[in-house]
């Protein structure tokens, strides 16, 4: 079946829905998503969305921009960061106007709390004075992402946006440097749908599922990023993958930084509040990359707590916060601790371990969300990307907590606006040939191929090895081994038997296609990590422990099409405006 | 420990009627029902179909009937079930089965859309600031805003079982979310929509919805506030 739309947005999380709201009524717009919109992963964000609203204390967007640049370990593009931080107060107020319920201050304004890496100078007249944590994260208890997603979906209902729920993206159609549409599988029937569009936006989210312990939903398999890579376009900064310091032990379920924003403290086996050693000023509110490394360092030094299954964890102590704060400010996450670990957070510490959480890298775009064709600034006509799948880059080497919810609303809207501008003159360009052929052939092959491999087995091996060899601490030996392993998985992939042959909700088939995407994503992360011989942000090379600005303050661009089955790598300079790189101490 | 799962299976391309299939496998008491379904799918039978995404009770995809009670598979741990006996898994009742545990939820969503689930505000907003709302007023919405649209409540309600047209607790809860929002101007419009024989008055305060809600929302209380509002309006 062929559909014609002015614009097709893939992904119904915050970025996709915010973009859809922005498309003027005169244009036809469809949003396709592999889950019903309110099931999207934005809904699991907990702690907050930041903006220098100054509702609780004096703050400025420049403070926010400084923190974001420093948090990014000077890999973020400063022009894009300035745009985001300057636009943040407007974006949050707009969400309030759309109906998002927020926790409130005594005066009835949007309430704000502290979050990792968000600071301001102690002396407002001296920008170089010691920086202390600031209340910048706007929140709705610890369900900020959930109510944001609901609000954006509600506004789409109000605007009569067309949704194609449970449609799974299988191909991206780029011909002669122009994006002409995409192919999707209707999961309920296995029918192949061609979406012919003047503009396409990917808001397809992240790929935490390439790691064994992750906070990400099962749908976080990086389909959008992988299809871009498979289409011969570059991905940017894939080696920068964030591990959130506090996932529930063994499970990886997120325990928001809000727990530490409200005063929670990390403690080792000797009950010591060890973050004092790693970040003397901001302690437990240091950025995520540093806290995750500190946790692993404590465990490696023998100061972890031995769990029942032989693995080690660290304690997150919330007991001193009192029942009232726990029940009112962080009810959801403390509920997770009760449900999944049987721990009562008002009385005992919560066992945690770092969990794969967020992709700083992704589809390269400019700050108007136009997808880059190369590392020289050329764009793909009619193709846009926003949200976690995109790399603008506002997060650089390490994202600050609360900046992802901000990213999706700021750049979702900018994308919508840019698309509307593009549609004023854009024409629907015919396909060169039937673009659905490739998908049909792929599906036929997958359903007919047989061998003794299972999707779940290869996936589990990939996830475990990515965790062990391409996780928080990396080195040449492990990464080289991982590269070999990924090549082996790709060969074994051809021997997978898809057990389910039916055409109704064949989730066995979908998981198998997802695995191919995950293998490409893992390849791009691992090759990027092997190539980058320095340590910056979330990318920590034990064999190159220092940040090397002269050589490496640049973005990695990686293409699938290098020689001998190897990806090709090139670079793009970081854009600097007003923030000079300095040593990153907290 | 070994556990036995009995799952209601249905493949419209092969089966005339839904039927049960049994699976016996090694499990651990800390596993969730979703973990077990994954184990069956990934190790035994790849054709088993169910929805899931976040796997920790936030996205609302995996509502199902577990030993006769509506709940989320990802929030139900084996240790909370009697694992000595067979664990029975069925799709939520009152909705058409598409395949195995996957239901056609169109009707459920239509009823949610019917209550106009979006803020309607006719007065101009302050240009550069948020509308003020007391924290007390904001918190009145929080419990209802926790709803994840999993359909556990609506499909647990005897009024739903006996009448397909009943709007159901989930849609009523959503109506509450906006009727009691101090920023919303369309309370009357929404109250009109639910003030019908198949609307709020088919709620007979049976409390099944509360028992089945995985987010522990006191749905009946919220519905009673709407009923009060309607009675006040008529006076």
């Amino acid at each position: 079946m062929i559909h014609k739309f002015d614009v097709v947005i893939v992904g119904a999380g915050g970025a996709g829905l915010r973009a859809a709201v922005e498309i003027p009524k005169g244009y036809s717009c469809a949003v396709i998503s592999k889950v019903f919109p309110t099931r999207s992963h934005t809904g699991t964000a907990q702690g907050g969305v930041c903006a220098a609203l100054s509702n609780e204390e004096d703050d400025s967007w420049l403070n926010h921009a400084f923190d974001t640049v420093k948090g990014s370990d000077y890999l973020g593009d400063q022009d894009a960061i300035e745009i985001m931080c300057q636009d943040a107060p407007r974006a949050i107020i707009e969400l309030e106007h759309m109906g998002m319920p927020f926790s409130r201050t005594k005066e009835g304004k949007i309430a704000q709390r502290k979050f990792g890496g968000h600071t301001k100078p102690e002396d407002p007249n001296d920008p170089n004075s010691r920086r202390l944590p600031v209340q910048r994260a706007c929140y709705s208890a610890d369900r900020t992402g959930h109510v944001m997603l609901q609000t954006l979906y509600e506004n789409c209902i109000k605007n009569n946006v067309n949704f194609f729920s449970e449609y799974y993206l299988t191909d991206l159609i780029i011909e002669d440097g122009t994006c002409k549409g995409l192919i999707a599988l209707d999961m309920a029937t296995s029918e192949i749908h061609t979406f012919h569009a003047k503009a396409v936006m990917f808001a397809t989210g992240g790929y935490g599922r390439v790691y064994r312990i992750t906070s990400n939903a099962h749908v976080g398999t990086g389909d959008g990023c992988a299809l871009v890579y498979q289409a011969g376009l570059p991905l940017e900064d894939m080696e920068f993958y964030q591990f959130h310091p506090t996932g529930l032990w063994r499970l990886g379920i997120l325990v928001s930084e809000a727990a530490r924003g409200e005063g929670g403290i990390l403690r080792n086996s000797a009950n010591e509040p060890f973050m004092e050693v790693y970040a003397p000023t901001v302690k437990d509110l240091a950025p995520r990359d540093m806290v995750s490394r500190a946790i692993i360092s404590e465990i490696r030094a023998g100061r972890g707590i031995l769990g029942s299954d032989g693995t080690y964890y660290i304690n997150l102590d919330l007991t001193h916060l009192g029942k009232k704060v726990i029940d009112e400010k962080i009810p959801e996450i403390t509920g997770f601790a009760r449900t999944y670990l049987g721990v009562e957070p008002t009385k005992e510490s919560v066992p945690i371990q770092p969990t794969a959480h967020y992709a700083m890298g992704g589809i390269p775009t400019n700050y108007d969300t136009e997808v880059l064709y190369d590392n020289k600034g050329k764009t793909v006509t009619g193709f846009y990307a926003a949200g976690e799948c995109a790399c603008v880059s506002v997060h650089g080497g390490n994202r600050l907590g609360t900046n992802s919810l901000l990213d999706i609303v700021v750049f979702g809207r900018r994308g919508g606006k840019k698309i509307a501008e593009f549609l004023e003159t854009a024409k629907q360009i015919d396909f060169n040939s039937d673009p659905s052929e490739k998908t049909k052939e792929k599906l036929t092959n997958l359903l007919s191929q047989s061998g003794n491999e299972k999707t779940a087995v290869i996936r589990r091996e990939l996830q475990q090895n990515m965790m062990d060899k391409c996780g928080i601490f990396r080195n040449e030996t492990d990464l080289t081994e991982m590269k070999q392993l990924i090549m082996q998985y790709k060969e074994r992939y051809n021997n997978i038997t898809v057990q389910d042959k039916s055409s109704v909700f064949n989730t066995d088939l979908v998981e198998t296609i997802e695995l191919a995407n995950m293998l490409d994503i893992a390849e791009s992360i691992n090759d990027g990590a092997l190539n980058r011989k320095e340590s910056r942000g979330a990318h920590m090379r034990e064999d190159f422990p220092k940040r090397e600005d002269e050589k490496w303050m640049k973005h990695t661009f990686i293409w699938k099409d290098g020689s001998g089955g190897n990806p090709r790598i090139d670079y793009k300079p970081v854009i600097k405006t007003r923030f000079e790189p300095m040593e990153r101490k907290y | 420990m070994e556990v036995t799962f009995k799952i209601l299976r249905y493949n419209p391309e092969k089966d005339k009627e839904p039927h049960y299939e049994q699976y016996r496998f090694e499990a651990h008491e800390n596993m969730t029902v979703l973990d077990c379904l994954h184990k069956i799918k990934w190790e035994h039978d790849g054709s088993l179909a169910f929805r899931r995404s976040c796997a920790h009770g936030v996205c609302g995809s995996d509502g199902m009937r577990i030993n006769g009670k509506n709940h989320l598979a990802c929030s139900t741990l084996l240790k909370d079930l009697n694992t000595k006996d067979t664990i029975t898994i069925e799709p939520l009742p009152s909705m058409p089965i598409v395949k195995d545990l996957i239901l056609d939820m169109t009707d459920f969503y239509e009823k949610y859309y019917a209550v106009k689930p979006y803020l309607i505000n006719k007065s101009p907003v302050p240009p550069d600031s948020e509308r003020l709302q007391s924290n007390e007023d904001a918190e009145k919405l929080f419990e209802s805003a926790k709803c994840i649209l999993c359909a556990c409540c609506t499909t647990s309600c005897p009024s739903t079982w006996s009448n397909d047209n009943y709007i159901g607790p989930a849609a009523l809860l959503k109506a509450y979310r906006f009727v009691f929002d101090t920023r919303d101007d369309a309370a009357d419009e929404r109250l009109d929509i639910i003030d019908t024989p198949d609307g709020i008055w088919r709620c007979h305060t049976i409390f099944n919805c509360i028992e089945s809600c995985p987010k522990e929302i006191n749905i009946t209380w919220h519905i009673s506030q709407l009923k009060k509002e309607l009675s006040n309006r008529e006076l």
Side-chain angles (χ1 to χ4, degrees):
Chain A
M1 191 168 177
I2 297 174
H3 309 263
K4 273 185 198 281
F5 284 99
D6 289 316
V7 52
V8 177
I9 297 167
V10 189
L17 296 180
R18 184 61 193 84
V21 168
E22 202 60 34
I23 303 298
K25 286 242 163 77
Y27 297 115
S28 60
C29 169
V31 178
I32 78 166
S33 168
K34 68 176 175 179
V35 289
F36 182 76
T38 64
R39 324 271 180 228
S40 304
H41 193 56
T42 297
T44 63
Q46 299 164 352
V49 49
C50 56
L53 284 174
S54 303
N55 283 356
E56 307 268 4
E57 57 179 307
D58 271 346
D59 196 4
S60 79
W61 74 263
L62 269 172
N63 284 340
H64 183 187
F66 173 91
D67 288 336
T68 303
V69 171
K70 184 179 170 189
S72 83
D73 219 350
Y74 300 92
L75 190 70
D77 286 319
Q78 297 182 10
D79 53 348
I81 290 173
E82 290 197 14
I83 285 173
M84 181 176 80
C85 298
Q86 212 166 353
D87 195 32
R90 185 209 54 74
I92 303 309
I93 286 164
E94 178 184 73
L95 285 167
E96 195 284 325
H97 291 169
M98 284 181 175
M100 179 162 155
F102 281 100
S103 297
R104 300 281 175 154
T105 65
K106 279 196 202 87
E107 303 81 41
K109 295 177 179 175
I110 294 169
Q112 298 186 277
R113 65 178 158 213
K114 293 172 184 171
F115 236 80
H118 290 281
T119 66
K120 68 173 185 181
E122 193 171 23
D123 176 356
N125 299 315
D126 176 11
N128 296 321
S129 61
R130 193 162 75 122
R131 295 182 78 95
L132 298 174
V134 65
Q135 297 176 77
R136 187 179 291 148
C138 310
Y139 62 95
S140 179
D142 56 355
R143 300 185 192 94
T144 315
H146 170 71
V147 294
M148 181 190 280
L149 182 67
Q150 298 272 333
T151 303
L152 290 170
Y153 181 54
E154 289 157 6
N155 278 268
C156 286
I157 298 170
K158 196 175 177 177
N159 291 3
N160 287 315
V161 174
N162 290 301
F163 282 96
F164 291 83
S165 286
E166 298 180 321
Y167 275 57
Y168 180 62
L169 175 70
T170 56
D171 208 359
L172 165 68
I173 313 304
I174 299 204
E175 292 172 346
D176 318 314
T178 298
C179 182
K180 297 182 182 174
L182 52 94
I183 310 294
L185 174 78
D186 177 359
M187 291 165 66
T189 60
S190 284
E191 195 182 347
I192 310 290
H193 292 252
T194 300
F195 288 85
H196 192 180
K198 294 177 192 166
V200 169
M201 175 184 262
F202 272 15
T204 49
Y207 37 82
R209 283 280 154 185
V210 300
Y211 289 100
R212 170 88 169 80
I213 301 289
T214 178
S215 64
N216 282 201
H218 284 281
V219 288
T221 53
D223 305 307
C225 293
L227 282 181
V228 165
Y229 189 59
Q230 289 157 12
L233 293 170
L235 294 176
E236 180 177 356
D237 290 339
M238 294 299 284
E239 62 271 33
F240 293 96
Y241 197 86
Q242 178 172 81
F243 280 74
H244 192 292
T246 57
L248 284 187
W249 170 60
R250 287 192 292 109
L251 302 167
I253 295 172
L254 183 65
V255 179
S256 167
E257 218 160 299
R260 283 170 287 133
E262 296 293 348
I265 295 168
L266 293 165
R267 294 180 187 278
N268 60 21
S269 59
N271 211 31
E272 291 161 341
F274 58 86
M275 279 312 298
E276 286 173 7
V277 179
Y278 298 88
T281 316
V282 298
K283 303 184 182 86
D284 291 273
L285 288 176
R288 292 173 177 172
D289 56 335
M290 298 177 101
V291 183
S292 286
R293 279 195 291 275
I295 289 170
I296 300 298
S297 301
E298 287 297 301
I299 292 174
R300 285 184 171 184
R303 294 190 288 271
I305 299 127
L306 183 62
S308 54
D309 66 347
T311 63
Y312 288 87
Y313 60 84
I314 286 292
N315 277 325
L316 173 62
D317 180 7
L318 306 172
T319 54
H320 54 287
L321 301 185
K323 196 172 176 328
K324 189 174 153 59
V325 169
I326 288 181
D327 289 351
E328 282 174 17
K329 300 289 181 70
I330 45 175
E332 189 89 1
I333 50 183
T334 44
F336 296 150
R338 289 184 195 108
T339 305
Y340 295 104
L341 295 180
V343 164
E344 177 45 55
T346 55
K347 299 200 180 95
E348 48 195 333
S349 295
V350 180
I352 57 92
Q353 74 176 98
T355 182
H357 185 58
Y358 187 86
M360 273 75 71
I363 305 164
T365 70
N366 59 25
Y367 54 62
D368 282 321
T369 78
E370 294 170 303
V371 173
L372 300 186
Y373 185 81
D374 57 25
N375 53 334
K376 310 284 188 299
K378 188 182 165 194
T379 57
V380 183
T381 308
F383 191 26
Y384 304 79
E388 188 174 346
C389 72
C391 181
V392 184
S393 150
V394 284
H395 308 303
N398 171 64
R399 174 173 71 75
L400 291 188
T402 71
N403 267 350
S404 60
L405 288 186
L406 179 62
D407 173 357
I408 61 182
V409 288
V410 166
F411 291 100
R413 171 176 171 271
R414 289 183 73 87
K417 280 195 181 306
K418 196 71 192 174
I419 290 171
E421 198 184 300
F422 171 74
L423 289 176
E424 283 173 21
T425 54
K427 293 200 172 58
Q428 203 130 27
I429 305 167
D430 286 341
F431 297 116
N432 295 349
S433 57
D434 180 0
S436 66
E437 283 305 318
K438 206 172 116 195
T439 289
K440 284 176 186 155
E441 198 186 312
K442 180 155 93 178
L443 297 186
T444 311
N445 288 345
L446 280 176
L447 286 168
S448 60
Q449 77 181 36
S450 64
N452 50 9
E453 293 287 356
K454 279 187 164 168
T455 300
V457 172
I458 298 176
R459 184 176 55 208
R460 179 46 60 94
E461 285 182 38
L462 170 76
Q463 291 167 329
Q464 186 64 55
N465 282 313
M466 282 297 283
M467 201 78 196
D468 296 342
K469 299 183 194 300
C470 189
I472 296 173
F473 286 98
R474 299 163 170 178
N475 61 61
E476 180 104 19
T477 314
D478 286 348
L479 294 169
T480 309
E481 265 178 49
M482 191 68 224
K483 189 176 166 68
Q484 296 302 321
L485 286 169
I486 294 168
M487 278 153 64
Q488 289 167 21
Y489 299 146
K490 286 189 169 190
E491 276 173 34
R492 285 169 59 191
Y493 184 88
N494 299 321
N495 293 320
I496 290 175
T497 300
V498 177
Q499 269 185 298
D500 193 348
K501 307 292 181 197
S502 81
S503 53
V504 181
F505 277 102
N506 191 337
T507 50
D508 192 13
L509 176 65
V510 170
E511 285 186 33
T512 306
I513 306 172
E514 284 173 340
L515 176 61
N517 293 340
M518 290 160 82
L519 289 169
D520 274 338
I521 294 295
E523 171 185 282
S524 64
I525 297 173
N526 193 72
D527 265 58
L530 188 56
N531 180 65
R532 186 175 281 270
K533 294 180 173 52
E534 66 152 355
S535 290
R536 180 185 300 272
H539 172 66
M540 174 74 202
R541 285 283 301 252
E542 293 165 303
D543 40 357
F544 301 95
K546 288 219 167 57
R547 190 178 89 197
E548 305 279 355
D549 285 341
E550 254 178 52
K551 224 177 141 195
W552 287 105
M553 207 176 108
K554 57 188 178 186
H555 299 290
T556 302
F557 271 53
I558 188 165
W559 288 260
K560 194 176 163 65
D561 62 350
S563 60
N566 276 310
R568 174 166 66 91
I569 286 178
D570 204 348
Y571 307 96
K572 180 170 164 279
V574 170
I575 295 165
K576 221 165 59 177
T577 56
R578 63 179 94 200
F579 305 102
E580 283 304 319
M582 54 169 95
E583 194 191 349
R584 196 157 156 258
K585 271 191 188 159
Y586 287 91
Chain B
M1 62 182 180
E2 278 227 312
V3 292
T4 307
F5 267 52
K6 187 173 102 180
I7 303 177
L8 193 69
R9 300 289 310 264
Y10 176 65
N11 177 350
E13 291 174 328
K14 280 202 293 205
D15 306 325
K16 274 196 190 130
E17 293 281 324
H19 61 281
Y20 290 96
E21 278 181 34
Q22 284 214 5
Y23 305 88
R24 199 163 165 75
F25 54 96
E26 194 61 34
H28 187 274
E29 61 165 15
N30 283 330
M31 284 170 74
T32 63
V33 168
L34 179 63
D35 292 335
C36 295
L37 293 176
H38 273 144
K39 198 174 162 75
I40 294 166
K41 181 173 181 66
W42 294 341
E43 294 174 18
H44 302 282
D45 184 351
S47 72
L48 179 64
F50 48 92
R51 292 190 175 103
R52 90 287 190 254
S53 189
C54 81
H56 62 286
V58 182
C59 76
S61 300
D62 62 351
M64 53 188 72
R65 214 159 169 75
I66 302 163
N67 283 345
K69 284 187 178 166
N70 292 0
H71 210 62
L72 299 180
C74 64
S75 305
T76 308
L77 274 72
L78 287 186
K79 68 179 171 200
D80 300 324
L81 299 170
N82 175 12
T83 48
K84 291 205 177 76
D85 290 341
T86 297
I87 294 163
T88 306
I89 308 289
E90 296 155 318
L92 293 174
S94 308
M95 287 194 274
I97 301 176
V98 182
K99 182 182 181 183
D100 296 338
L101 302 170
I102 296 182
L103 297 166
D104 179 352
M105 293 179 71
T106 311
D107 184 60
F108 174 78
Y109 294 134
E110 287 301 331
K111 286 168 178 163
Y112 152 69
Y113 302 138
V115 300
K116 305 199 170 188
Y118 38 83
L119 195 82
I120 300 175
N121 188 292
K122 289 156 190 161
S123 47
V125 291
D128 300 316
S129 68
E130 65 268 57
R131 279 170 294 216
L132 299 182
Q133 184 176 44
S134 73
N135 197 46
E136 206 185 9
D137 282 339
E139 285 190 346
K140 273 184 201 155
L141 311 176
F142 282 6
E143 191 172 341
S144 60
K146 284 198 311 192
C147 173
I148 53 175
L149 296 174
C150 64
C152 284
C153 60
T154 295
T155 59
S156 76
C157 179
S159 298
T160 303
W161 302 341
S162 61
N163 183 336
D164 289 344
N165 297 323
Y166 173 43
I167 192 162
L172 291 170
L173 184 70
K174 193 53 81 174
Y176 172 100
R177 149 75 187 86
F178 290 99
V179 167
F180 288 91
D181 192 329
T182 55
R183 303 169 296 174
D184 187 85
D185 295 331
D188 269 329
E189 248 176 87
R190 289 196 190 85
L191 290 170
D192 287 343
I193 293 165
I194 60 172
D195 188 12
T196 63
D198 287 332
I200 196 163
W201 306 114
R202 208 160 284 283
C203 163
H204 301 305
T205 355
I206 301 165
F207 300 108
N208 275 16
C209 51
I210 302 183
E211 217 172 291
S212 68
C213 177
K215 304 310 284 183
E216 297 177 353
I217 302 170
N218 187 337
I219 304 169
T220 313
W221 180 86
H222 287 83
I223 296 176
S224 74
Q225 297 305 301
L226 287 169
K227 285 180 179 168
K228 247 192 232 169
E229 199 69 11
L230 277 162
S231 335
N232 289 343
R233 196 167 74 144
E234 270 149 37
L235 286 174

